[in-house]
Amino acid sequence: LSELFSTFEKEPLGSASIAQVHKATLLDGRTVAVKLQRPNVGPKLKGDVANLKRFSKILANALPLDYYPVFSELEKALDNELDFLAEAQAMRKIDCAVSQNNDG
């Protein structure tokens, strides 16, 4: 951590099911929020969704509708939620878009 941050607060500012956010200071003095994924959360959640897909196929005739496509979409959404690098890139794009001087 000391290679990136001059300070890093151990107590999170907030937390949710897959991550928590900590306040930190970069070596250049900027204050930042650091989002950390909980350990092993990705494999656990992906395993849960794989099980749901498997059960939906096994129980397809007993269920009122085909849940397999629903769980497949959930799997894609979960992959996106767990990809913090893609989220960081999106945040950079937003920063660039709102930081531009639009004089008209």
Side-chain angles (χ1 to χ4, degrees):
L1 286 175
S2 62
E3 293 177 17
L4 298 172
F5 307 105
S6 59
T7 66
F8 191 95
E9 293 188 11
K10 290 183 180 182
E11 188 69 27
L13 295 171
S15 61
S17 58
I18 66 169
Q20 54 192 33
V21 177
H22 295 262
K23 182 179 179 182
T25 306
L26 295 173
L27 296 176
D28 67 7
R30 290 180 291 162
T31 301
V32 294
V34 181
K35 187 174 180 181
L36 298 175
Q37 197 170 102
R38 295 185 184 279
N40 301 315
V41 73
K44 288 178 184 176
L45 290 173
K46 288 180 180 187
D48 289 346
V49 173
N51 286 334
L52 288 169
K53 288 172 66 176
R54 195 172 307 116
F55 290 139
S56 71
K57 281 203 169 236
I58 293 168
L59 301 171
N61 292 332
L63 297 172
L65 61 104
D66 183 5
Y67 284 98
Y68 188 84
V70 174
F71 296 136
S72 295
E73 285 300 314
L74 178 62
E75 183 176 47
K76 290 178 194 173
L78 180 60
D79 286 339
N80 289 333
E81 286 295 317
L82 294 171
D83 188 349
F84 285 11
L85 292 177
E87 182 177 353
Q89 290 173 339
M91 297 305 289
R92 282 191 191 110
K93 289 179 183 177
I94 291 169
D95 181 51
C96 287
V98 299
S99 297
Q100 290 180 351
N101 185 359
N102 294 325
D103 290 336

